[in-house]
Amino acid sequence: MFNFKNKKVVITGGSRGIGFAILKEFYENNSEILTIGSNIQNLEKVKNEFPKIKINQLDLKNSNDLKEKIPKLIEELGGIDILVNNAGITKDNLTLRMKENEWRDVIEVNLNSVFILCQYAIKYMIKNRSGNIVNITSVVGHTGNAGQANYTASKAGIIAMTKSLAKEYAKKNIRLNCVSPGFIATDMTKDLKEQYQVELMKNIPINRLGNGKDIANAVMFLASDASSYITGETIHVNGGMYMA
């Protein structure tokens, strides 16, 4: 169903968790991949596992750095067919306790960097007269979540922005969609107390945590020609905990 051979793919945050699962799927489908992240050790580790990929360390909070380096990185890759904006951070706090830097840092990484990457990717995609962008959001961008005003705002912003860009560039044969994960099993969730996990399962009808491949499967579908009549949409992958 999916043909990604020689497709040039840029993935942010592809060295661990959901991003790693997405990178693995594209790699196994013979794509040419560049992954961007902030932790050079994690990037080098994934490079060792998948030696054909390109890696680059970038601070997604630094918009000037992004604007300077992203065009060069795309040129080095030989262009861009698919962009997956996956990288994100959390700095949780109750609103009255939230420091300004906790708000700004999350918005810079989770929303502003996505906008900048979309801008530069679309410039190249217009030249190619085709392109595909998949933005990773979150269930809490739809439901809200106590202690995460910054994170939920960033994820909801991605959804609205994706719809706007989808409308702007559909006639240029460029599609933009979102994947909205629910609660996904990662290294962090392994340490959750059993009692919390039991309570969590009560809100997930499928009665299990998601995994990286669940999200990667949705990304691959949206990035493929199998979804050629879909743009501006969000696929919810959450086991039923939120039904749009």
Side-chain angles (χ1 to χ4, degrees):
M1 181 183 296
F2 303 143
N3 180 13
F4 295 105
K5 186 175 182 180
N6 300 325
K7 291 288 187 181
K8 295 169 175 59
V9 183
V10 176
I11 304 169
T12 65
S15 62
R16 56 183 298 186
I18 290 171
F20 178 84
I22 294 168
L23 183 148
K24 184 172 183 289
E25 290 296 316
F26 278 111
Y27 192 87
E28 291 176 353
N29 279 274
N30 302 305
S31 302
E32 298 177 24
I33 301 167
L34 163 67
T35 188
I36 297 165
S38 59
N39 188 308
I40 190 61
Q41 287 80 21
N42 288 340
L43 288 169
E44 289 173 346
K45 185 177 179 180
V46 77
K47 171 73 171 175
N48 289 335
E49 187 166 351
F50 303 109
K52 294 180 182 179
I53 70 170
K54 296 180 183 294
I55 61 172
N56 199 276
Q57 183 184 25
L58 276 179
D59 179 6
L60 294 178
K61 292 197 304 292
N62 189 332
S63 59
N64 290 330
D65 200 32
L66 284 178
K67 291 173 183 177
E68 178 186 347
K69 293 180 179 178
I70 288 299
K72 296 176 184 177
L73 293 173
I74 292 175
E75 289 286 354
E76 289 173 8
L77 186 62
I80 181 169
D81 298 300
I82 298 164
L83 169 64
V84 181
N85 283 303
N86 165 75
I89 63 171
T90 57
K91 291 194 175 184
D92 298 350
N93 216 336
L94 293 175
T95 300
L96 294 183
R97 297 176 183 173
M98 187 173 289
K99 298 178 177 64
E100 186 174 348
N101 71 288
E102 291 173 331
W103 172 269
R104 289 186 180 277
D105 286 354
V106 170
I107 296 298
E108 286 288 347
V109 173
N110 295 9
L111 182 57
N112 291 354
S113 74
V114 173
F115 176 71
I116 291 168
L117 284 158
C118 284
Q119 273 191 316
Y120 284 99
I122 288 169
K123 287 179 183 179
Y124 281 87
M125 290 173 178
I126 286 174
K127 294 177 185 177
N128 297 336
R129 298 182 180 178
S130 69
N132 208 308
I133 296 174
V134 182
N135 294 323
I136 307 300
T137 62
S138 170
V139 63
V140 298
H142 301 267
T143 65
N145 200 32
Q148 289 193 312
N150 49 4
Y151 184 77
T152 56
S154 70
K155 294 300 183 178
I158 288 174
I159 296 162
M161 181 184 69
T162 300
K163 291 179 180 180
S164 295
L165 296 179
K167 288 188 175 184
E168 287 182 24
Y169 297 102
K171 291 182 179 179
K172 300 292 185 182
N173 198 30
I174 299 169
R175 295 189 297 112
L176 296 97
N177 291 286
C178 294
V179 174
S180 182
F183 213 89
I184 306 302
T186 63
D187 292 340
M188 290 185 291
T189 59
K190 291 178 183 178
D191 298 327
L192 290 176
K193 293 180 180 178
E194 184 177 350
Q195 182 180 356
Y196 182 78
Q197 292 198 37
V198 170
E199 289 300 313
L200 186 65
M201 290 303 173
K202 292 178 182 178
N203 296 315
I204 305 175
I206 286 182
N207 198 38
R208 71 169 176 86
L209 299 183
N211 57 54
K213 187 168 176 58
D214 291 323
I215 308 305
N217 287 341
V219 171
M220 300 299 282
F221 169 68
L222 289 175
S224 76
D225 290 339
S227 62
S228 62
Y229 201 52
I230 300 174
T231 193
E233 292 294 337
T234 298
I235 291 184
H236 296 270
V237 188
N238 57 43
M241 70 180 293
Y242 171 79
M243 300 182 187

